[in-house]
Amino acid sequence: MENKKRFYITTPIYYPSDKLHIGHTYCTVATDAMARYKRLTGYDVLFLTGTDEHGQKIEDKAKEAGVTPKEFVDRIVTGEKGVLDLWKLMNISNDRFIRTTDDYHVAAIQKIFKKMYENGDIYKGKYVGKYCKPCESFWTESQLVDGKCPDCGREVQDAEEEAYFFRLSKYADRIQHLLEDTDFLEPRSRVNEMVNNFIKPGLEDLCVSRTSFTWGVPVDFDPGHVVYVWVDALFNYTTALGFMNDKYDDYDKFWPADVHFVGKEIVRFHSIIWPAMLMSMGMPLPKKVFGHGWLLLDGGKMSKSKGNVVDPYLLAQRFGVDALRFFLLRTFPFGSDGNFSNEALINTINVDLANDLGNLLSRTVSMVGKYFGGTLPQQQAEDPEKDRELVELVSTLRSRYEDQMEHFAFQNALAEIFKVIGRANKYIDENTPWVLARDMEANGPRLAGVMYNLLEVLRISAVLLTPFIPQSSAEILRQIGACEACQTWESAGQWGSLRADVTVQRGENLFPRIDLDKELAALEEIAAQAKKAALPALEVEPQLTEKVDFDTFCKSDFRAVKVKDCQNVKKSEKLLRFTLDDGTGTDRQILSGIAKWYKPEELIGKTLMAIVNLPPRKMMGLESNGMLISATHTEHGEEKLNLLMLDDKIPAGAKMC
Ligand code: MSP
């Protein structure tokens, strides 16, 4: 055990400022697949994730919510449907979870900051520049794009305060060499981005403390200053191993990290600032930073207001956790951006999981049941001509898969597996088991050979799919009767590990087909409801500030009226025609655009309020003499109207004043 090869992998620690969406889930699911893959191949893996809980944005949001910052983050991290719940639901196998508000981390950050100060890499100065609050990023004037934050495009604020600085400029050459001449940062395209946009224009020293808010790690030797949130956050990768603290004792074992997976917008922090600070501390650098792309919605950033459902809880509940995990890694190349849509999600489930994998499993298991009572006979016949291509493809699958996985090319690794699954489905059609089964005496051994080959395809595929769809893979392996020894990485590279007289177990259909149109309509409805629910529950029109003089007001003649008759106006969707008793002895006709809210019959006999001295108006060829008074407001964005109903004991014609 002691000599096992080690692998340390991390995800960015999430800002608990809002609920997580499917984009956040993407990175964590990818990291999980990588961690599970490494464990499968025999590594002693440490997979770290966590939450990045300090900073002005959190302080502001907590204030808005009327709670302390700690209460605020606790709710999002440990509360119902919080970060921890989500990772549990998504079957994330992290070994450790760090919160930057944990005491051991806070104390370690203070020591780290002090050490960089003492070695002269942190000095006190004055910060004058721009600050992007949502990104918690400082920028110099020259780094802004059209005067806005180069990362998110939002407005930046002027900022000036006494602050500590980190001598980033001192490390510019070493960082440039690290990026250009080693494989430290991948994909390669990100290297050019970093060098051209940040290093070549000249690396400036970085402001690493703030005094304008308090929600952060205090600089212990200078009260009033809190450590810049990115310094606090980046060192999580080492404090979570026990660096400068006694909580853990894995620093020597696992540092340097094998890879940090990070989203593209935080590559700058991980590939420039992070190695520079580690250099300053005299610590080894992580072996690799991989900057993955973003999941986009309609080509832009994810936001709740868009039509597609991006709530991972809801998607997992409707489609299953494995289907969702699979979709994320099968559909988008990890290094590039990809467009998320409900349609793409459902299509991937239907094509790959239901049609190809699900079908292969259910056809094979049910044929073994039907033709052999569930247990294959020992006597099996090969047909080298017919079997060669399939057997060769499956036997070499592990090595092609491994090549892709070692390069974090999840999409390609999965494509390799599905090539084999597709080939196996074709193999069924080529060998027509149902024809062989017509003469079991003559063809029994050959039919058993065909079945065995299919079971082997399923076994090897399921083992290699384990990092992506752990629960489903286990179920496939159970259904095909794979013993423990045939579920290992070694056995995935060996054709023929399954025992000849294997017994299958029929099970549930793993991936039922989804009716695309029906499901899209249901998701659209859910998104519309969610959008509505996000609008204010109750809105009323603001009161008028312009005054009306009393005499003018008194000229309005409001009366109680009784509804004698009420009808829809032909060809009008809006209008109702009222015949009213206004106490004068002559019927009064009023037209009112309230058909959306009332059925005519429910108003007959009611006592309402009307203004009766408005000049007559024609609508749809009918004359309206006055106006019924109603109350209006908006509920979750929807206009509501209620007629003013009076006590029926008030006689028709009674004056309102
Ligand atoms: N707290 C920092 C990370 C500090 S690491 C020392 C942070 N947090 S975050 O919550 O804003 O983002 C967490 C991760 O989610 C980032 O890697 C980010 O790129 C990723 N994603 C957020 N939205 C995303 C998509 N729409 N698509 C893919 N990944 C996205 O940054």
Side-chain angles (χ1 to χ4, degrees), residues 11-17 20-28 51-53 57 134 229-230 232-237 261-266 269-270 292-297 300-302 337-338:
T11 70
I13 49 170
Y14 168 71
Y15 280 129
S17 60
L20 284 92
H21 55 60
I22 191 78
H24 299 112
T25 315
Y26 179 52
C27 182
T28 310
T51 40
D52 176 6
E53 304 185 357
K57 188 163 62 175
V229 69
W230 270 101
D232 169 7
L234 285 162
F235 275 98
N236 92 87
Y237 300 133
F261 276 179
V262 305
K264 63 177 185 180
E265 86 287 13
I266 57 174
F269 297 97
H270 285 82
H292 67 76
W294 270 7
L295 283 196
L296 305 174
L297 257 192
K301 272 195 120 175
M302 292 212 158
D337 289 349

Side-chain angles (χ1 to χ4, degrees), residues 548-611:
V548 55
D549 68 78
F550 189 71
D551 290 344
T552 309
F553 170 72
C554 288
K555 286 182 190 156
S556 305
D557 196 0
F558 292 102
R559 301 285 169 155
V561 290
K562 305 246 177 207
V563 181
K564 291 176 74 175
D565 190 26
C566 181
Q567 313 260 343
N568 284 109
V569 172
K570 269 190 209 132
K571 292 193 190 150
S572 166
E573 279 177 12
K574 287 189 188 163
L575 287 179
L576 292 184
R577 178 157 70 97
F578 288 85
T579 305
L580 303 161
D581 174 3
D582 62 3
T584 59
T586 313
D587 287 349
R588 173 180 291 270
Q589 174 169 286
I590 289 183
L591 300 171
S592 181
I594 58 168
K596 188 172 147 194
W597 293 281
Y598 289 102
K599 291 199 173 59
E601 56 275 17
E602 62 184 300
L603 294 173
I604 293 173
K606 300 281 186 215
T607 308
L608 306 176
M609 178 170 164
I611 173 165

Side-chain angles (χ1 to χ4, degrees), residues 53 58 63 66 68 70 97 103 119 159 178 197 208 218 238 263 316 335 378 425 433 460 486 530 584 611 613 628 652:
E53 304 185 357
I58 302 242
K63 205 177 281 168
T68 67
K70 184 69 167 72
F97 190 93
D103 290 346
N119 72 19
L178 176 73
N197 299 351
V208 288
T238 61
Q378 291 275 4
N425 275 316
I460 292 178
C486 0
T584 59
I611 173 165
N613 62 338
L628 293 170

